[in-house]
Amino acid sequence: MNNTDHSFRIVVQRWVNPQRELFEESAEYCYHGVGTNYLEEEKKSVEVIRWHNGRSNSENYNKELKGGFGLEHVPCNDFGGNAVWFGIVILAYNLFIASKIFLFPKSWVKKTIRTIRWEFVCMAGKVIRHSRQLILRICSALRETFEIYVEARQKCCELT
């Protein structure tokens, strides 16, 4: 902030510290500042805070890409190869988001790739071969997850 010639505005939120009695030397108030280049005539302070809070979820998307889809490291020293890798990961992420929206129940929209992998891949089951058939026996507690999987496959086939 000290090394810029551009002007900006800081909007500060203040609220009473809800855990003040837990610590003897804690402050009476909590503060949160948002730096912006909006003039006060363009956006009021409340509108700046609302706008900022609406975009604060972008860090979770980055975390999902890095932790869930393997973008924490690039695979090689070649810029072109890394660009291809990045494009494939972004495509996979977008397909995952589309499948959450169009194929899975509404309650699954906020689930991360790790959670959905855990629920699908880590199912307790047993494959049985009997009279020329393969039978998949699943733990009764996971039957609901399996039904969601079957329903998502049917919806996927209907899309084509």
Side-chain angles (χ1 to χ4, degrees), residues 29 37 62 84 96 109 114-115 155:
Y29 294 101
N37 58 355
N62 294 337
V84 170
F96 170 70
V109 170
R114 286 182 179 181
T115 305
K155 287 181 183 178

Side-chain angles (χ1 to χ4, degrees), residues 20-146:
R20 187 162 188 247
E21 65 273 359
L22 294 177
F23 306 104
E24 294 176 15
E25 296 181 19
S26 64
E28 184 177 353
Y29 294 101
C30 296
Y31 298 93
H32 178 72
V34 176
T36 181
N37 58 355
Y38 283 115
L39 299 174
E40 198 162 352
E41 298 83 37
E42 295 177 24
K43 282 191 186 227
K44 296 179 183 177
S45 298
V46 174
E47 293 171 340
V48 169
I49 294 295
R50 283 189 190 137
W51 181 85
H52 175 73
N53 289 342
R55 275 129 191 94
S56 63
N57 203 23
S58 64
E59 289 298 321
N60 292 332
Y61 303 137
N62 294 337
K63 184 171 62 173
E64 176 81 0
L65 280 168
K66 289 169 70 175
F69 285 88
L71 263 186
E72 66 269 4
H73 302 291
V74 289
C76 62
N77 292 332
D78 181 39
F79 182 79
N82 290 335
V84 170
W85 171 255
F86 185 78
I88 290 171
V89 170
I90 295 297
L91 179 64
Y93 178 70
N94 287 333
L95 288 172
F96 170 70
I97 295 297
S99 65
K100 282 198 308 184
I101 293 170
F102 296 116
L103 302 178
F104 296 129
K106 298 284 185 211
S107 61
W108 283 40
V109 170
K110 292 192 176 189
K111 291 188 178 191
T112 63
I113 187 69
R114 286 182 179 181
T115 305
I116 291 179
R117 266 196 214 124
W118 176 257
E119 291 189 6
F120 280 149
V121 176
C122 297
M123 278 190 186
K126 183 175 171 184
V127 177
I128 301 171
R129 188 180 300 242
H130 180 67
S131 63
R132 297 185 190 169
Q133 290 183 344
L134 282 177
I135 300 170
L136 177 64
R137 293 205 184 244
I138 297 174
C139 174
S140 62
L142 299 173
R143 184 144 329 260
E144 180 181 326
T145 304
F146 183 72

